[in-house]
Amino acid sequence: GLDKEQVDSPDLRNPQSRYHGFFHNGFINDSTHTIWVNVDEPEMIDGTSRTNDMEVEAVKRVLTYLKNSKGFDEYMNYWETIKDEEKRKLEKEVGLISFYGKQVGKLREVRSTAKQLGIPIRLNTVDKFQGMERNIIIVSTVRSDKLNKGNNIIVPNSDIGFAKAPERLNVALSRARRLLIVVGNKNFFYKFKDREGNPLYKNAIDEIAKNGRIIDYKSLTEYTKR
């Protein structure tokens, strides 16, 4: 297994280190490596794809909280010492991924927020992100137990789509070296069972509850000033 001392080593250059050093009340501390940001809001159908507007909003708030975390600027500045431009870029980029192409399209509007905050992001679908790693990954899961059919007609939804294949989520979840933030409808994923009746996400979410944090996106109030 991983050596706890190496994993917690504040030397960011230590290849085994998962340390980031961020602290923000109500959001993160330096031993937090996984956060589930609960967004209990409806999804929408867009062609053959799905989108979730409130998850886009939640991602903006997450980036703002990261930026305003104690230790974040130091962490970003640390990578400036890397001579190799390509490696420096990789270390600084926050990976922002979703399973749905249309949601990736919607997440483009996060770019201006990220730019204002000075946080470089790499935006992609999960499948395109295969084989890539980033220190910090934010995953927008999109699926919800409620579907907005337009004109404010909200109906229940039980289809979890891509998430029936947990290996795809595992690809997403294993891409984060230091911090993984999942944005999604926690209870929907928690309760979801496969055809054999096995809960697919319960263990992962229990693990995040135990060793990471579960936060409601509404508790991440909007920052008005830096």
Side-chain angles (χ1 to χ4, degrees):
L2 286 169
D3 176 351
K4 181 112 179 70
E5 218 168 276
Q6 300 278 352
V7 167
D8 292 333
S9 160
D11 174 10
L12 294 173
R13 259 202 210 163
N14 179 335
Q16 284 184 302
S17 169
R18 292 188 65 211
Y19 183 83
H20 50 66
F22 308 152
F23 176 81
H24 192 305
N25 208 9
F27 180 61
I28 197 166
N29 66 28
D30 61 9
S31 61
T32 311
H33 298 289
T34 47
I35 300 173
W36 187 295
V37 177
N38 181 38
V39 179
D40 184 12
E41 305 283 356
E43 61 179 65
M44 291 188 82
I45 297 175
D46 187 345
T48 56
S49 197
R50 303 272 163 156
T51 60
N52 191 315
D53 285 343
M54 284 326 277
E55 287 189 16
V56 176
E57 171 60 30
V59 168
K60 290 178 184 171
R61 293 186 192 184
V62 162
L63 288 172
T64 309
Y65 268 68
L66 278 174
K67 174 65 179 179
N68 285 278
S69 293
K70 191 172 158 292
F72 187 78
D73 288 345
E74 290 81 343
Y75 163 90
M76 283 307 237
N77 291 338
Y78 174 83
W79 305 117
E80 288 298 333
T81 59
I82 297 176
K83 302 269 184 289
D84 178 347
E85 196 183 340
E86 193 51 35
K87 179 149 172 43
R88 189 167 68 228
K89 199 174 148 226
L90 287 182
E91 296 286 11
K92 290 175 85 166
E93 262 179 356
V94 171
L96 177 51
I97 54 182
S98 182
F99 299 87
Y100 293 96
K102 287 273 166 66
Q103 182 73 351
V104 168
K106 287 221 167 213
L107 286 163
R108 286 199 190 109
E109 68 173 72
V110 170
R111 283 211 172 115
S112 57
T113 305
K115 224 187 185 93
Q116 283 164 358
L117 297 168
I119 301 177
I121 57 174
R122 179 65 180 264
L123 179 58
N124 234 324
T125 59
V126 170
D127 294 340
K128 294 230 174 70
F129 215 84
Q130 266 180 314
M132 290 200 271
E133 275 194 337
R134 288 295 181 278
N135 285 311
I136 303 170
I137 298 272
I138 304 172
V139 184
S140 171
T141 59
V142 178
R143 301 314 294 253
S144 172
D145 53 8
K146 292 175 276 297
L147 170 68
N148 182 348
K149 298 192 81 171
N151 301 327
N152 282 335
I153 299 166
I154 313 282
V155 298
N157 170 55
S158 59
D159 178 24
I160 207 160
F162 78 85
K164 290 198 222 24
E167 59 280 0
R168 290 184 66 193
L169 192 70
N170 289 340
V171 164
L173 303 192
S174 60
R175 294 291 152 231
R177 243 181 262 142
R178 298 172 198 273
L179 176 60
L180 168 72
I181 301 174
V182 181
V183 174
N185 187 324
K186 181 182 74 81
N187 289 348
F188 187 44
F189 279 83
Y190 195 81
K191 290 189 298 222
F192 183 75
K193 295 185 173 76
D194 66 13
R195 286 203 180 116
E196 282 76 55
N198 305 309
L200 288 184
Y201 298 100
K202 183 181 178 302
N203 292 352
I205 294 171
D206 282 339
E207 184 64 27
I208 294 174
K210 193 169 126 225
N211 295 314
R213 297 200 168 182
I214 293 178
I215 297 167
D216 197 272
Y217 87 101
K218 291 189 182 111
S219 74
L220 302 177
T221 48
E222 289 176 75
Y223 262 90
T224 45
K225 58 185 188 305
R226 172 67 209 273

